[in-house]
């Protein structure tokens, strides 16, 4: 038994460091499940698109994302749609994807709106407002800029005009 | 420095042993020096495992946690920290979004600000508090390991014949002459001791009687229970183990409980208010309306297939139902739904208009029109209705184009294309407002006139009360999942077992030896010395030796 003493000590101390470190680690980093901030990873989602496909972050891995939360009843969202469409056309060849996540409306409303405005970037349905909650979106519209490495670079609340949107995407593409 | 640890009986003792492991002779004592003092019987005189001659770095850490003194300090610091956490409301207690960086200053002034700055506003989740718990855990594990194994060894192979000094320096001691041979006396002593519940071992003229040794393991059983408890508390934060959130559940709807596989249906919400006569004068004067009882008839579903598949509807299976009231939660496999609050909303969910022929008065039938996710095609009588557009909150923008003003069904309007007999081939358009007053406000007839005048031919009527379905309430429930709780209770159960083991039984031992007609007896127990004394004196009495209980006490009447 005397010989086994040292390994036993080392094993137990290591276990304590690992378990304790994990417990403290989750308290410091994991415990906070607050809203995502710039620098965080965007929360995962799995949503049906207007195109009938499933859209999620994995699908757009390696691409810069502009995630825009909108609704047809939100005037500012409606106002910024043409700007989003213009920038989508401008940047889509450079691996930039604009995702318009509609909050809580049904197919008919969204389809009619899209037909009217002629936007053709992916539009996703968040019918239960689950993803809006996860992203902590309060005012609408809110737009998340996620770089190619899957990190939120900036979060913009309120209406975006063509110029600021262009600047934001340019910084996004330049960012690592 | 190397100490000679070999006892005169020939036993080689480990470093730090107070008494010789075999014969019990006290070690490292100058002859005559303090030889009348009671022996230190803690851990039965054996060395703690970690005590070694030349401690290195690892030994030093080990020894730090092995110390009871350190453990006491750690527990005291944790206790004080836990107390500080009760001074002001903790951040985790707030239901609504709030900003802790300003809240504490506003509510409690400078002290509140300091409280927040020191991180005490979230004491129990702070890294330093968890570090304290981890250190207590480490101390529990190491303390136990360091003592249990040596104690087990010392108790499992006890030598029967003990050193004279070992016997005379116990707290219960008797010395006196006996008649006859030692061996014969010892054999005679077996029966009365066994009757008192002792296990008796003899070795010629020496005897060892022992009972209830298991009570010595009580403290270590407590330690094991505490370790289980601490682990459960520390790992409560793991994903899926813990949830404590508040959500709205609208009446009549099946809502997914976020971050879980469960769906909850609020079948019906009822609220009962206190009547005027039931209220106190004070309340009556204030004109308050006080709810007496509110209840959510809830059905809990579990998703069994296509759960995270946005293309398909989830398959739900009912697992539980309960009428949730305050202090009477729904409880299913660690998930609890507590009634917390409610709100009266009065929101239109669906209408069932009847299609009526304006000209003949013929009734074609009803169809169900939901505010959210309505069907897009309906067949009523000979007519086919196609929903072209839907406005939940109808309004007109500056260009007089119809828009929806919000996501709430405040002023719903539905635009149909209707085809059928008596209508143009490509159909006609018809806009419909379910609310009567809004039909007038927005001029439904005029709008339809402008759209092509189908309203001369057809009409949507609401014939009965049952044709309108409202959400009257949404219920605010507190959803809690705590899968760590079974482990917490298990840990506490083990602690209780350990406490009982230590409280209600005492480990008692009696050693005796007869040398040249002189009996030397020593007794040791973990507690209840008076009981031990009485037991020894009654044993001696059955052996024909009259002795006063009190005189057995060695070294005065200390207790």
């Amino acid at each position: 038994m005397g010989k086994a003493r040292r390994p036993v000590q080392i094993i137990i101390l290591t276990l304590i460091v690992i378990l304790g470190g994990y417990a403290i680690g989750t308290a410091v980093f994991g415990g906070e499940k607050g809203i995502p901030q710039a620098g965080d990873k965007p929360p995962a989602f799995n949503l049906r698109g207007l195109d009938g496909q499933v859209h999620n972050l994995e699908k757009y891995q390696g691409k810069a994302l502009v995630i825009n939360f909108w609704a047809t009843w939100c005037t500012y969202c409606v106002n910024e749609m043409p700007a989003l469409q213009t920038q989508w056309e401008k940047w889509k060849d450079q691996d930039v994807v604009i995702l318009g996540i509609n909050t809580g409306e049904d197919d008919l409303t969204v389809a009619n709106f899209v037909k009217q405005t002629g936007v053709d970037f992916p539009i996703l349905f968040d019918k239960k407002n689950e993803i809006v909650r996860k992203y902590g979106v309060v005012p609408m519209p809110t737009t998340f800029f996620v770089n190619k490495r899957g990190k939120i670079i900036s979060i913009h609340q309120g209406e975006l005009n063509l110029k600021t949107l262009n600047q934001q995407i340019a910084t996004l593409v330049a960012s690592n | 420095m190397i100490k000679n640890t070999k006892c005169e009986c020939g036993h080689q003792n480990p470093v730090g042993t107070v008494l010789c492991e075999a014969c019990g002779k006290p070690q490292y004592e100058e002859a005559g020096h303090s030889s009348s003092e009671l022996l230190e019987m803690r851990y039965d005189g054996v060395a703690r495992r970690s005590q070694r001659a030349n401690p290195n770095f690892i030994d030093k850490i080990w020894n730090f946690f092995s110390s009871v003194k350190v453990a006491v300090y750690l527990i005291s610091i944790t206790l004080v920290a836990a107390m500080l956490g009760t001074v002001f409301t903790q951040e985790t207690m707030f239901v609504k979004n709030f900003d802790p960086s300003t809240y504490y200053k506003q509510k409690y002034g400078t002290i509140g600000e300091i409280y927040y700055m020191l991180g005490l506003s979230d004491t129990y989740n702070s890294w330093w508090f968890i570090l304290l718990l981890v250190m207590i855990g480490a101390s529990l594990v190491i303390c136990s390991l360091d003592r249990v194994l040596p104690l087990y060894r010392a108790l499992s192979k006890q030598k029967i014949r003990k050193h004279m000094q070992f016997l005379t320096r116990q707290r219960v001691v008797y010395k006196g002459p006996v008649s006859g041979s030692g061996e014969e006396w010892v054999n005679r002593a077996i029966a009365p001791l066994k009757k008192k519940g002792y296990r008796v071992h003899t070795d010629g003229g020496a005897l060892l009687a022992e009972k209830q040794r298991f009570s010595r393991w009580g403290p270590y059983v407590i330690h094991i229970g505490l370790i289980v408890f601490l682990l459960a508390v520390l790992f409560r934060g793991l994903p899926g183990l813990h949830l404590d959130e508040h959500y709205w559940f609208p009446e009549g709807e099946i809502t997914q409980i976020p971050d879980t596989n469960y769906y909850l249906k609020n079948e019906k919400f009822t609220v009962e208010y206190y009547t005027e006569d039931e209220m106190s004068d004070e309340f009556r004067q204030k004109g308050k309306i006080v709810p007496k009882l509110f209840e959510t008839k809830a059905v809990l579903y579990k998703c069994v297939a296509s759960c995270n598949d946005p293309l398909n509807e989830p398959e739900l299976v009912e697992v539980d139902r309960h009428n949730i009231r305050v202090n009477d939660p729904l409880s299913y496999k660690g998930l609890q739904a507590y009634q917390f609050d409610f709100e009266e909303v009065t929101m239109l969910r669906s209408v069932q208009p009847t299609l009526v022929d304006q000209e003949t008065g013929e009734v074609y039938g009803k169809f169900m029109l939901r505010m959210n996710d309505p069907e897009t095609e309906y067949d009523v009588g000979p007519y086919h209705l196609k929903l072209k557009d839907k406005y939940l909150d109808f309004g007109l923008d500056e260009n007089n184009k119809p828009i929806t003003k919000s996501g709430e069904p405040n002023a719903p309007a539905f635009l149909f294309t209707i085809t059928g007999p008596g209508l143009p081939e490509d159909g006609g358009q018809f806009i419909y407002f379910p609310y009567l007053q809004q039909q007038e406000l927005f001029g439904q007839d005029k709008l339809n006139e402008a759209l092509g005048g189908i309203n001369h031919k057809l009409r949507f009527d609401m014939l009965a009360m049952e044709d309108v379905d409202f959400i009257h309430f949404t219920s605010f429930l507190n959803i809690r999942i705590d899968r760590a709780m079974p482990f917490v209770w298990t840990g506490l159960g083990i602690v209780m077992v350990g406490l009982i083991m230590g409280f209600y039984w005492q480990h008692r031992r009696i050693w005796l030896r007869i040398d040249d007609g002189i009996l030397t007896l020593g007794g040791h127990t973990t507690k209840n010395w008076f009981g031990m004394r009485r037991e020894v004196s009654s044993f001696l009495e059955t052996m024909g030796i009259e002795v006063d209980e009190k005189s057995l006490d060695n070294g005065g009447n200390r207790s």
Side-chain angles (χ1 to χ4, degrees):
Chain A
M1 184 151 73
K3 273 183 196 156
R5 196 178 284 181
R6 173 52 44 87
V8 166
Q9 277 186 345
I10 291 170
I11 288 166
I12 287 178
L13 285 175
T14 320
L15 275 177
I16 288 168
V17 168
I18 291 169
L19 287 174
Y22 184 77
I24 295 166
T26 47
V28 176
F29 306 108
E32 226 184 319
K33 68 161 192 173
I35 52 172
Q37 307 285 331
D40 295 345
K41 275 181 186 266
F45 58 78
N46 212 26
L47 293 175
R48 180 171 59 92
L50 192 59
D51 55 1
Q53 308 279 318
V54 177
H55 296 254
N56 48 34
L57 286 173
E58 292 86 70
K59 184 170 174 168
Y60 297 109
Q61 208 167 31
K63 302 203 174 191
L65 291 178
V66 176
I67 305 173
N68 174 256
F69 288 90
W70 69 280
T72 62
W73 44 263
C74 145
T75 326
Y76 302 109
C77 311
V78 174
N79 290 348
E80 70 177 3
M81 277 297 161
L84 285 167
Q85 175 63 21
T86 310
Q87 296 299 347
W88 157 247
E89 284 162 16
K90 179 180 171 189
W91 290 96
K92 65 178 166 189
D93 298 334
Q94 295 185 50
D95 274 349
V96 176
V97 177
I98 295 181
L99 297 176
I101 300 187
N102 176 273
T103 58
E105 294 185 284
D106 41 39
D107 291 39
L108 181 75
T109 315
V110 173
N112 280 341
F113 177 84
V114 168
K115 218 184 293 163
Q116 268 173 37
T117 49
V119 294
D120 68 348
F121 53 83
I123 299 289
L124 320 181
F125 292 101
D126 181 21
K127 283 204 179 168
K128 293 176 196 151
N129 286 323
E130 194 184 354
I131 307 307
V132 180
R133 202 182 302 119
K134 263 195 187 169
Y135 275 72
V137 173
V138 183
M140 293 253 269
T142 296
T143 310
F144 290 77
F145 294 88
V146 181
N147 72 8
K148 288 177 184 169
R149 290 160 139 229
K151 211 166 101 180
I152 298 171
I153 294 302
S154 61
I155 301 167
H156 186 95
Q157 295 186 333
E159 188 181 329
L160 284 155
N161 60 33
L162 200 60
K163 203 175 140 206
T164 47
L165 187 56
N166 191 38
Q167 272 169 8
Q168 297 261 31
I169 298 179
T171 357
L172 182 65
V173 171
S175 129
N176 275 310
Chain B
M1 186 177 69
I2 294 167
K3 273 185 184 161
N4 181 17
T5 55
K6 198 164 190 175
C7 178
E8 62 179 36
C9 70
H11 183 81
Q12 179 70 49
N13 290 294
V15 178
T17 314
V18 187
L19 307 172
C20 169
E21 285 180 328
C23 68
K25 179 178 185 282
Q27 299 206 54
Y28 328 120
E29 269 181 13
E30 302 293 320
H33 171 66
S34 69
S35 60
S36 58
E37 269 180 23
L38 294 180
L39 283 181
E40 168 64 68
M41 289 294 285
R42 207 159 35 152
Y43 318 127
D44 244 52
V46 292
R48 282 192 279 128
R49 234 173 101 110
S50 60
Q51 290 184 335
R52 33 173 77 224
N54 301 303
N56 65 8
F57 178 66
I58 289 174
D59 294 320
K60 277 179 187 159
I61 297 174
W62 191 266
N63 285 340
F64 174 78
F65 284 113
S66 168
S67 155
V68 171
K69 201 161 77 183
V70 167
V72 170
Y73 281 130
L74 282 174
I75 291 167
S76 310
I77 294 168
T78 311
L79 209 63
V80 171
M83 277 159 68
L84 287 173
T86 64
V87 175
F88 295 137
T89 317
Q90 292 286 293
E91 284 175 31
T92 45
M93 287 296 117
F94 291 91
V95 174
K96 301 256 159 61
N97 288 341
F98 88 118
D99 186 5
S101 57
T102 53
Y103 173 85
Y104 289 96
K105 197 181 176 190
Q106 273 169 16
K107 179 121 193 235
Y108 307 108
T110 318
I111 297 173
E113 199 184 3
I114 296 168
Y115 192 76
Y116 172 72
M117 294 292 218
L118 288 174
L120 292 170
S121 58
D122 198 12
T123 306
Y124 310 111
N125 295 315
S126 62
W127 66 268
W128 52 268
F129 191 78
I130 292 181
L131 178 70
L132 280 169
L133 293 184
V134 169
M135 283 169 80
I136 290 177
S139 165
L140 281 169
V141 171
I142 293 174
C143 275
S144 312
L145 265 177
D146 240 22
R147 290 165 175 78
V148 161
L149 295 175
L151 183 65
Y152 174 77
R153 240 174 346 133
L155 293 181
S156 62
K157 29 178 179 171
Q158 298 183 71
K159 207 178 159 193
I160 294 160
R161 183 176 292 274
K162 288 286 185 185
H163 194 268
M164 196 56 94
Q165 260 202 54
F166 179 87
L167 296 179
T168 54
R169 286 172 64 188
Q170 293 295 335
R171 246 178 85 173
V172 174
V173 171
Y174 173 79
K175 210 166 176 162
V178 286
S179 53
S181 90
E183 209 152 325
E184 186 240 337
W185 197 92
V186 163
N187 283 333
R188 208 148 50 80
I190 295 173
L193 281 169
K194 275 202 171 150
K195 217 173 157 196
K196 287 188 193 300
Y198 284 89
R199 289 156 189 265
V200 185
H201 311 274
T202 56
D203 174 16
L207 176 144
L208 164 64
E210 179 183 31
K211 74 171 170 188
Q212 292 165 2
R213 187 203 286 177
F214 72 93
S215 85
R216 289 295 278 267
W217 311 117
Y220 307 106
V221 173
I222 295 173
H223 280 189
I224 291 167
L226 287 175
I227 291 164
V228 172
F229 173 83
L230 266 180
L231 284 176
V233 169
L234 285 175
F235 293 100
R236 221 170 134 229
L238 285 182
L241 283 183
H242 180 65
L243 180 83
D244 189 356
E245 296 283 340
H246 295 76
Y247 302 112
W248 292 105
F249 293 91
E251 200 179 19
E253 305 276 300
I254 298 181
T255 318
Q256 184 176 11
I257 301 173
D259 301 319
T260 69
N261 221 1
Y262 293 104
Y263 287 72
L264 192 129
K265 183 176 183 191
N266 176 355
E267 273 197 329
K268 179 132 190 71
F269 183 85
T270 37
V271 59
E272 202 180 296
Y273 294 97
Y274 281 104
T275 60
E276 283 265 313
D277 343 314
E278 284 174 311
M279 276 196 276
S280 68
D281 287 336
E282 203 187 327
F283 273 38
R284 221 169 321 184
Q285 271 161 19
K286 280 186 190 158
K288 265 194 176 175
I289 302 168
V290 184
K292 186 178 183 176
L293 176 88
F294 41 108
E295 180 182 270
T296 309
K297 272 194 187 350
V299 186
L300 188 73
Y301 297 93
K302 195 178 177 168
C303 178
V304 287
S306 40
C307 294
N308 197 20
D309 178 1
L311 301 185
N312 291 304
E313 285 297 307
E315 251 178 67
L316 303 180
V317 172
E318 181 183 326
V319 289
D320 198 11
R321 59 170 65 226
H322 187 76
N323 297 344
I324 306 173
R325 294 180 185 184
V326 174
N327 290 332
D328 183 10
L330 176 146
S331 181
Y332 176 77
K333 286 192 178 168
L335 179 139
Q336 251 115 6
Y338 290 86
Q339 189 68 55
F340 192 75
D341 202 358
F342 69 95
E343 192 178 47
E344 267 195 86
V345 284
T346 314
M347 205 197 279
L348 189 60
R349 192 205 323 270
S350 69
V351 289
Q352 292 188 58
T354 308
L355 190 65
V356 182
D357 197 308
Q358 285 275 67
E359 291 153 357
T360 63
E362 195 179 339
V363 175
Y364 293 118
K366 273 188 198 175
F367 65 100
M368 161 79 86
L369 196 53
R370 287 196 308 268
M371 297 303 119
N372 282 318
D373 265 324
E375 306 285 332
T376 50
E377 317 239 347
Y378 304 87
D379 282 303
V380 191
Y383 292 98
H384 183 74
L385 282 67
K386 195 169 172 202
L387 186 60
K388 257 193 83 185
D389 216 339
K390 184 195 108 181
Y391 309 90
L392 272 183
D393 197 351
F394 187 84
L396 294 169
D397 68 359
E398 54 265 40
N399 306 322
N400 258 347
K401 264 182 62 189
I403 51 158
T404 186
K405 290 188 293 188
S406 79
E408 308 296 318
N410 297 328
F414 297 85
L415 180 66
F416 292 96
T417 304
I418 308 178
T419 46
L423 295 176
E425 184 122 331
D426 55 348
Q429 305 217 2
F430 188 90
I431 191 157
Y432 171 64
F433 293 85
Y435 284 111
L436 251 169
Q437 65 269 37
Q438 284 167 1
Q439 291 182 0
E440 278 169 35
L441 180 70
F442 294 111
Q444 180 178 303
D445 286 349
K446 265 192 213 146
L447 283 169
N448 281 327
E449 199 76 47
L451 285 169
I454 278 191
N455 54 332
H456 292 303
K457 171 80 182 140
L458 296 168
R459 188 173 82 222
F460 284 25
D461 256 354
M462 214 78 80
L463 295 178
M465 278 297 288
E466 311 89 76
D467 292 348
V468 194
D469 180 19
F470 282 102
I471 299 174
H472 293 285
F473 292 98
T474 68
S475 178
F476 199 38
L477 300 181
N478 174 207
I479 305 289
R480 286 188 194 164
I481 292 176
D482 215 336
R483 298 199 205 289
M485 275 325 271
F487 298 99
V488 167
W489 290 118
T490 310
L492 292 176
I494 298 171
V495 168
M496 202 63 218
V497 169
L499 284 170
I500 291 169
M501 275 168 75
F503 276 158
Y504 294 103
W505 287 276
Q506 303 102 34
H507 182 210
R508 290 180 178 175
R509 274 175 298 172
I510 298 167
W511 299 269
L512 59 84
R513 56 190 282 180
I514 294 161
D515 308 87
D516 308 326
I518 303 289
L519 164 73
T520 314
L521 179 147
H524 179 75
T525 183
T526 43
K527 60 179 193 196
N528 190 7
W529 291 90
F530 292 103
M532 179 82 196
R533 257 170 28 189
R534 181 163 305 138
E535 208 160 64
V536 170
S537 98
S538 98
F539 157 67
L540 288 174
E541 205 182 306
T542 53
M543 295 300 292
I545 301 168
E546 285 290 338
V547 61
D548 179 31
E549 252 178 62
K550 277 183 189 153
S551 71
L552 289 172
D553 209 312
N554 181 23
N557 243 335
R558 287 176 293 170
S559 58

